[in-house]
Amino acid sequence: MLNKLISNILPYMPQKLVWQFSKDYIAGETIDDAVQAALKLNEEGILTTIDVLGEFIKNLDEAEANKNEYLEVIEKAEKANVKGNYSLKPTFFGLLIDKEVAYKHIREVVEKAASYNNFVRIDMEDTPCTDMEIDIFRRIKEEFPENVGLVLQSYLKRTHQDIKNLKDLHSEEVPLNFRLCKGIYVEPASLAYKKYDEINQHFLEDIELMIKEGMYPAIATHDKPVIEGSYKLLEKYNYPKEKYEFQMLYGVTPALRKSVLDAGHTMRVYVPFGQHWFGYCTRRVKENPSMAMVIIKAIFFKG
Ligand SMILES: Cc1cc2nc3c(=O)[nH]c(=O)nc-3n(C[C@H](O)[C@H](O)[C@H](O)COP(=O)(O)OP(=O)(O)OC[C@H]3O[C@@H](n4cnc5c(N)ncnc54)[C@H](O)[C@@H]3O)c2cc1C
């Protein structure tokens, strides 16, 4: 109840107040902010993946502008020698307005990253987008085998099968590269596991399948039991360090992040930035009202 109430009033709260809890999780408003944050993480031995935050777009002009912003991000990050790649959300490029236009924009962003021998991760959004996002990934992966990866969500009942279905795109020379996360959207019980233990169990089963197939898992979690379960699997299969990585969100669980890094694993941090941070934060809380407790804690405990 309280969470729902907060998620409803949040959009009317002063942006300055909301910034107090957001600033630890968002790199800033400009490309330069993101590049600086990424370089700082690089100094700690952490790789990055930069993401431009966006509201749902209303027309294809916005999709075009967003594509141009990504091209600029890549240009600036590469010139600054950031050690990292890029993540994007297909709806930001018009997926829900015109799938073909979104495909063309995403393809162009991947082409740009490929010109620097770099890589773009296609984030996974909610289930109305899943098939379309897998399809776009498939088409682009065929053209740029080394420069694109996809996110899969362990809470979705279909994910294990999706990994198997995509196996035809895998080879030993250019392995499939999947980021596995739990999944952030509120999905119906017919499509998604709901219990913490179930989601974790499927997370580790999906990672094990990727390891057995020789794929490149990017293990994206801040959950200690999942990290420890992943360690056990990596050890069981004696999986080489260059064939996987861990990932975390900017500003989240820095002590745990350091422990993973200190144990000798590759760590990549997701660096979100953009002018639309306020809309992004309030929408995220609306999607997942339990996030509201994070805000309350931040306001009361961090001032
Ligand atoms: C690099 C990266 C990329 C992602 N990309 C996607 C994507 O494309 N699609 C998608 O649906 N989801 C994505 N997610 C989000 C993911 O699905 C989860 O919602 C999120 O990571 C929380 O799950 P968890 O595995 O950390 O476990 P949880 O069980 O949710 O959390 C474990 C613990 O981590 C801490 N924690 C987790 N999240 C936060 C937070 N935001 N602030 C403070 N503490 C926190 C808390 O201490 C919590 O107890 C991504 C996550 C990461 C790390």
Side-chain angles (χ1 to χ4, degrees), residues 215-243:
M215 297 172 181
Y216 186 103
I219 306 163
T221 180
H222 321 88
D223 200 12
K224 215 166 167 209
V226 178
I227 291 175
E228 281 166 358
S230 302
Y231 285 167
K232 280 195 190 132
L233 289 172
L234 295 166
E235 209 172 302
K236 177 176 166 191
Y237 291 93
N238 198 16
Y239 215 54
K241 289 211 181 310
E242 63 281 4
K243 291 196 76 173

Side-chain angles (χ1 to χ4, degrees), residues 165-180:
N165 293 348
L166 286 162
K167 256 173 62 181
D168 60 294
L169 293 168
H170 174 75
S171 72
E172 212 171 295
E173 301 74 50
V174 192
L176 268 172
N177 183 325
F178 291 127
R179 174 194 299 151
L180 186 71

Side-chain angles (χ1 to χ4, degrees), residues 94-228:
L95 183 75
L96 297 174
I97 303 171
D98 186 327
K99 182 186 159 196
E100 207 47 32
V101 169
Y103 158 73
K104 284 190 183 133
H105 286 326
I106 296 169
R107 189 203 159 279
E108 205 178 322
V109 174
V110 174
E111 187 178 38
K112 177 85 176 175
S115 73
Y116 288 103
N117 276 328
N118 211 331
F119 178 91
V120 175
R121 173 85 56 192
I122 299 177
D123 284 353
M124 186 56 76
E125 300 176 89
D126 51 355
T127 42
C129 301
T130 312
D131 281 327
M132 288 193 285
E133 292 179 351
I134 289 177
D135 186 49
I136 287 178
F137 165 71
R138 182 175 268 290
R139 288 168 73 186
I140 297 180
K141 172 86 178 158
E142 275 163 7
E143 190 180 353
F144 300 96
E146 299 189 25
N147 310 99
V148 67
L150 184 69
V151 179
L152 294 170
Q153 299 151 322
S154 76
Y155 69 4
L156 285 193
K157 294 181 176 171
R158 57 179 286 172
T159 291
H160 210 69
Q161 191 57 45
D162 282 334
I163 298 169
K164 293 180 182 167
N165 293 348
L166 286 162
K167 256 173 62 181
D168 60 294
L169 293 168
H170 174 75
S171 72
E172 212 171 295
E173 301 74 50
V174 192
L176 268 172
N177 183 325
F178 291 127
R179 174 194 299 151
L180 186 71
C181 61
K182 291 192 186 181
I184 195 131
Y185 302 91
V186 179
E187 298 289 357
S190 55
L191 301 177
Y193 303 110
K194 293 284 171 185
K195 293 192 187 119
Y196 170 82
D197 286 341
E198 258 184 334
I199 296 169
N200 283 10
Q201 182 201 324
H202 285 94
F203 194 111
L204 293 173
E205 283 174 11
D206 293 341
I207 292 292
E208 184 159 19
L209 175 59
M210 291 180 201
I211 290 176
K212 277 185 180 165
E213 295 292 344
M215 297 172 181
Y216 186 103
I219 306 163
T221 180
H222 321 88
D223 200 12
K224 215 166 167 209
V226 178
I227 291 175
E228 281 166 358

